[in-house]
Amino acid sequence: MDWFVSVWDEDMGVHVYRGGEGFDRASVIEQVLAAGRVIARRQDDSVVGTVGKVVIDGIPVDAIPFGDNGIGDDELRWLIGAQFDRVRAGIDA
């Protein structure tokens, strides 16, 4: 499964992207989470963007709040998975 994450960097006027490939749903969710958390912040820990756009296996997933420190990794894992499953179910129907 291919995936990519993008976060809009308003200061720079560009999208910051990361992408990759995983062998199953769980590994993809972990990779998306890690990439989203990294690109949502600069090296000085300032926020690039609170939300990021995610596409998994060609399926756009709703915006994910990677830059929100009030949301833990477990909640983000659940959110990414739930939104991906919801969108995929609608496509398969």
Side-chain angles (χ1 to χ4, degrees):
M1 297 165 71
D2 294 332
W3 61 267
F4 80 84
V5 177
S6 68
V7 173
W8 175 250
D9 184 334
E10 190 169 320
D11 292 344
M12 301 291 286
V14 298
H15 278 101
V16 181
Y17 292 93
R18 295 289 185 275
E21 184 177 359
F23 59 92
D24 65 5
R25 180 182 176 276
S27 68
V28 167
I29 289 171
E30 285 301 317
Q31 291 174 35
V32 165
L33 173 61
R37 286 291 202 191
V38 166
I39 66 174
R41 297 193 168 277
R42 293 183 180 84
Q43 289 182 354
D44 67 0
D45 207 33
S46 62
V47 175
V48 170
T50 305
V51 297
K53 293 184 180 182
V54 176
V55 176
I56 299 174
D57 212 19
I59 300 171
V61 177
D62 290 339
I64 304 295
F66 294 112
D68 188 338
N69 284 335
I71 299 177
D73 288 353
D74 287 340
E75 188 173 353
L76 284 178
R77 278 184 200 93
W78 179 87
L79 186 61
I80 294 163
Q83 290 183 4
F84 173 66
D85 292 343
R86 179 185 52 80
V87 173
R88 184 174 58 184
I91 291 172
D92 292 341

